[in-house]
Structure formats: structure tokens, C-alpha cells
Amino acid sequence: MNNKYLKIYNELAKQIETGEIKPKSQLPSENRLSKEYDLSRGTVRKALDLLVQNGYIQKVQGKGSIVLDINKFDFPVSGVVSFKELSQKLGQDSKTILLELDILQGDEFLMEELHLDKEDEVWKLVRVREIGGQKIILDKDYLKRDAVPLLTKEICEDSIYEYIEGELDLKISFAKKLISVEEPTQEDKDSLDLAGYNVVVVVKSYVYLEDATLFQYTESRHRPDKFRFVDFARRRH
Amino acid sequence: MNNKYLKIYNELAKQIETGEIKPKSQLPSENRLSKEYDLSRGTVRKALDLLVQNGYIQKVQGKGSIVLDINKFDFPVSGVVSFKELSQKLGQDSKTILLELDILQGDEFLMEELHLDKEDEVWKLVRVREIGGQKIILDKDYLKRDAVPLLTKEICEDSIYEYIEGELDLKISFAKKLISVEEPTQEDKDSLDLAGYNVVVVVKSYVYLEDATLFQYTESRHRPDKFRFVDFARRRH
DNA sequence: GAGTGGTCTAGACCACCTT
DNA sequence: AGGTGGTCTAGACCACTCT
């Protein structure tokens, strides 16, 4: 990328993450930054807006920009993050087991969830995620076939997100997630090490591409004790 | 507010919410909008960026802006939303019962969570939320005394957010939330109608003011079957 | 080639805070 | 008064899509 505002955003974000710029300290003013980086103030502001959005800094009119304590939480699941990215961040031993890989057509439930026609084909994949030797998560994914022509066992046990964004050139732009708690189904009981819990945490995700088409529906079913979700939210006034 | 970009944002958002502008339709181009509203293109773009952020539209370079189906979910808890705002949106019968209202000082747990000194005083309030006659949520709030000098039973049973933002002039700017599932404590069992469930969903919130100072820590403990959380997330590339 | 959104600039004025 | 961030403008050029 040649974007100037992304460059300065990434530089500042990195410095904040590594602690080079310390929490509670002041960032240089917008005018100083635009001189130092030889950019217009508008471009600097765009970079700072990104830092605000992602929780790195807080701006106060008339005063300046304060660096926030980003390391207060160490489990940043907010946003669309795949299992592989996640376990890498956690540094834990993890494994993915593929239970099912099929092509469906004309399923009523899916036609509802994915807004499908009768003829549309859908990949169904069921995977179990193991962390530290325990089966913790059951993932049921449904992907539109016309966006993803081919899926193999290897891809599914690696990261479908990497494959979709890397190999294919699809760009994921946003997702809606719904978190609830439900009674375990027989499938949950069979596939997961539930350790006596009588509920599972269910995360239903609707994933959209850059052209605003819905292309994936996922149900991620978690053993409750291992489930965590972090949200950073700015209040809309 | 005199802000032009907010005016046009609100107009467009309202038209999308009411269905006056239909999902999947195209918004007028940025140039058209800037002519129609007699604004510079930059100001129009700022309004559209807000619409993108809040999930109203999706932009596609070279094509235009597509209106998204905002009504797909009817439970927008994403962001910092108070119980009162929430139950109003749901239109359900609700009640708040105040169990405890105290001033604490020198509590170790709180000094950790709220970054306090020994001398700092903290309001502790414990409230039970009733929806449809059932005790569903147990809220334990801790507020910094120096920000909120006075609290009464009436305020606590109404909405502290309204009081804090309306009467006092404090502005809440952002919050970090952590969602997890835990075993019920004795307090949970005593205060809530748990209906046989052996877990509670715990939402821990850290709420910050506009000057980036932490001023509230809240534990919101939910009966699992009534808990829902909706997240709208754009993927950070 | 015409139209769309994305980036960047330079300058102006305002609202707010500090001294 | 001087510095800070917030808003707004007018204009330029680029990247992308459609036909």
C-alpha cells in the first residue's frame, strides 16, 4: 500500500503496542505531526481517527491526544478473527478436526439464513477445535458455493479465511455476530468435551464480502468455561 | 448541534431505518449528494463514513454505496447501552430493585480494577433487574466518588446513565467489555431466578469518560437463557 | 471515456483549554 | 493570546467499474 495515512497509523500503533510511546502520555499535536511527517493535517487526522477507532488513543478538544492502556486486556476477539489467528495469539497447542465436508442444495434452514435460491449450492463443513487436548469448540460453517468453488480436507483443517482471502481473491468486509447461550444438542454432546456443563455458548456469524453480499453463515458452539469475548465500544451520542 | 455532516447523516440514517430508502438500493453518488445538500464532497464523505461505521451502508469503489439490511437483527446491544434504553427498545415490562447502596474505601479488589489510591471513595450499588416478573440480571456497579458526589435510591432505580450524562455533565466516551460464563455465586443464587441453570453469563465493563479517565467498573450477571449480545464488526485489514 | 469512490493538499474559521 | 482539536471548503489526482 502507498497510503500515507496507513503508514503513519501503523507506525504509531506499533510504537504504542511496544510501549515506545507510553500509556497516559500525550501524542504530539496534529500540527507537529504534519510537520514531522511532511503531510497535510487532514492526512494526519485520518491516521489519528483510526487510532481512536481501534482504541489506541483518546482525543480531547483543546488539549491533545492521550495514549490509552491497550494491554489491559490480552484477548482481543473483537472483530472477525479466525480460530487460527486466535490460537496463535494465545500461543496454545491447537488442532482442528474435520468431521464433515459436503455440498448441500435446497436446504430450507439455509435458504432462510443465507437468502438462497433453490438451485444455489452450499458448502457445509463441521469442525471440532481442540485446545490443550480438549475438544472445546464445534464449528458449523455454511459457505456459498458460487464464491468458493473448491474446498479440500487440507484447507479446512488449516484456515479457510487464509485460503479465501489469500488464494481466492475474496475480501471479507464485515460480520454480524449474535452471542447466546443454549442447551447442548446431541451433536454438541457427542463432539465436545463438555465436562458436565449443561449449556453451550453459541456464536452465530453472518459474514459479508466487500460487495455487501452475504456469503457465509457460521455457528460456533463453545464449552462455556473456555469462552471469552472482548468488546471495545465507543458510545454513539 | 450545528454540524452539517451530522445533519445529513441523521437524515439518511432515518430514511434507511424507516425504509424510505430501501435495502439493496443505491445511494446517490457523493457528487450528487454534495450538490443536492449544497455541501462540499468532504463533508458528505464524513457523513457516509459514519453510515458505514454504524452498519447502514456499504461502499464499493467505482460503483457506489449500497444500503444494507439493518433490520436483520432487532436487538442492538452493541455499544454501551443501559438497561433502561434496552428495555424500552424491547418494549417489555421491567423493574429495577436496589439491594445495596454504599460508599467504600480502601477495598483491595477495587483498587486493582479501578486503579485507585487508598483514600479514594467508591460508590457500590447492587441492583436486580426484573423483566416480565422474573429476576434476570444482577448488576454490581462501582463508581468513583469524585466524579459522582451524590447518588440516591431514586436515581439508582431509574437510570444512572441519564443522571450522569444529563444532570451532572459527565460524558461517557468508551467502554471495554469482557463476556464470560461462570458458576453462580451464592449471591447470584439468592438474588436471581436462575430456573435450574448452573451457570451465569458475566459481562464486566470498564467505562471511561471523555478525558480518558476510568470511572466505573460493572459486573452484570445474567441468567443464561435471557442473555443476548449482538456485535457488528468491520474487519481490520 | 464517463462516473464512482479513495487519497491528499492548503487554507480558513470555530470551539475549547491552558497560561 | 496562543495552542489544541473539530469542521468545512475547493480543487486535484488516482483506482476502480461499467458500457
Side-chain angles (χ1 to χ4, degrees), chain A residues 24-57:
Chain A
K24 299 191 180 178
S25 68
Q26 289 252 342
L27 229 51
S29 77
E30 294 176 353
N31 280 317
R32 287 203 69 77
L33 286 173
S34 57
K35 274 176 200 158
E36 281 178 27
Y37 286 88
D38 194 31
L39 296 171
S40 75
R41 190 176 152 225
T43 303
V44 170
R45 279 179 62 74
K46 205 167 175 184
L48 295 191
D49 282 349
L50 261 185
L51 290 172
V52 168
Q53 258 189 295
N54 295 350
Y56 285 96
I57 64 169

Side-chain angles (χ1 to χ4, degrees), chain B residues 3-5 39-41 43 46 61-63:
Chain B
N3 297 25
K4 298 182 183 177
Y5 77 91
L39 297 170
S40 76
R41 192 176 149 225
T43 303
K46 205 167 175 184
Q61 189 173 108
K63 282 186 175 175

Side-chain angles (χ1 to χ4, degrees), chain A residues 149-190:
Chain A
L150 181 70
L151 272 183
T152 65
K153 192 167 182 292
E154 286 69 37
I155 295 167
C156 294
E157 291 187 341
D158 199 40
S159 166
I160 38 172
Y161 273 67
E162 262 176 31
Y163 174 68
I164 287 165
E165 294 205 301
E167 299 294 314
L168 310 177
D169 202 27
L170 300 176
K171 297 229 171 102
I172 291 160
S173 77
F174 64 95
K176 292 176 176 177
K177 292 188 179 187
L178 198 152
I179 302 173
S180 62
V181 180
E182 299 180 6
E183 277 184 39
T185 63
Q186 192 58 47
E187 190 181 20
D188 295 330
K189 289 175 191 164
D190 292 342

